[in-house]
Amino acid sequence: MNLPHAEPGNRVGLFGGSFNPPHSGHRLVAETAMRRLGLDQVWWLVTPGNPLKDHAELAPLARRIALTAATANHPRMRVTAFEAVLGTSYTASTLAGILQRRPDLSFCWIMGADNLAGFHRWQNWRDIVRAVPIAIVDRPGASLSPLFAPMAQAFGMARVPEPEAATLMQRRAPAWVFLHTPLDAASSTALRRKAARA
């Protein structure tokens, strides 16, 4: 539940989600961001519940934490449900809480490109973009999202060219980069449907 340990000056990627369940596509997003941005750690933030999603099929938090830890399974990846401590499911509030507690670290937000199309519906989404740099990793069906998503259009001037991705952590927000990677078609929705049929 607490924030993972990190040494002052570490570059930490924050990767939030329901992870209901976590899968290889999530792991690919985290790995891609860690490698391309030169991150010291990636913190998987398992949310108590996404405010924009139906909670009817939401597995218990403890189970999602355990499954996420098994999926992450990397010495520089940590799993936490810190949002439950903060009492929030909103990313803007989570970021504010983390930045307040660890001003000695450099943070970026990591997300799959499938979340970019609806990012403008997140509470205080502009505050998120202005708080920390953002790495958006390609996902199936979302390769064109940087062209049409309201966030990408509103902050088009803040986009970092992909060949300069390694500089993202030295930039002041707003700054974002779109990272292309081999695509993994795994999805939480498909996995839940498969489990329901079993």
Side-chain angles (χ1 to χ4, degrees):
M1 293 288 188
N2 296 320
L3 288 180
H5 173 76
E7 294 295 327
N10 274 183
R11 294 162 297 186
V12 178
L14 302 173
F15 184 29
S18 302
F19 303 117
N20 186 42
H23 53 71
S24 56
H26 291 133
R27 171 64 185 255
L28 179 60
V29 167
E31 282 182 335
T32 299
M34 186 168 66
R35 177 172 44 84
R36 299 281 298 279
L37 304 182
L39 302 177
D40 297 299
Q41 294 186 40
V42 172
W43 294 356
W44 297 53
L45 305 174
V46 185
T47 182
N50 186 328
L52 297 178
K53 293 184 178 179
D54 182 5
H55 293 183
E57 297 182 331
L58 189 64
L61 181 60
R63 175 165 174 74
R64 289 184 286 121
I65 292 171
L67 290 173
T68 302
T71 301
N73 192 27
H74 188 285
R76 290 193 286 130
M77 294 188 189
R78 309 280 188 266
V79 177
T80 179
F82 184 65
E83 284 185 328
V85 175
L86 286 177
T88 182
S89 294
Y90 295 104
T91 299
S93 299
T94 300
L95 277 176
I98 292 175
L99 292 171
Q100 181 182 24
R101 285 163 176 80
R102 293 303 310 262
D104 57 329
L105 301 178
S106 296
F107 291 104
C108 71
W109 184 257
I110 300 168
M111 66 179 179
D114 45 342
N115 286 310
L116 183 57
F119 184 73
H120 62 288
R121 293 198 296 270
W122 294 22
Q123 186 181 73
N124 300 328
W125 67 275
R126 291 176 185 271
D127 292 342
I128 298 170
V129 181
R130 295 185 180 112
V132 293
I134 298 176
I136 301 159
V137 182
D138 203 3
R139 287 282 291 145
S143 297
L144 296 179
S145 55
L147 300 178
F148 304 108
M151 184 285 258
Q153 293 181 342
F155 289 92
M157 295 297 292
R159 184 174 182 179
V160 176
E162 187 171 2
E164 299 175 26
T167 70
L168 185 72
M169 298 301 291
Q170 285 95 55
R171 297 173 184 256
R172 292 186 61 178
W176 63 278
V177 66
F178 190 92
L179 302 175
H180 291 87
T181 186
L183 299 179
D184 184 322
S187 81
S188 296
T189 302
L191 289 171
R192 289 195 304 272
R193 287 174 180 163
K194 182 178 180 180
R197 291 194 302 267

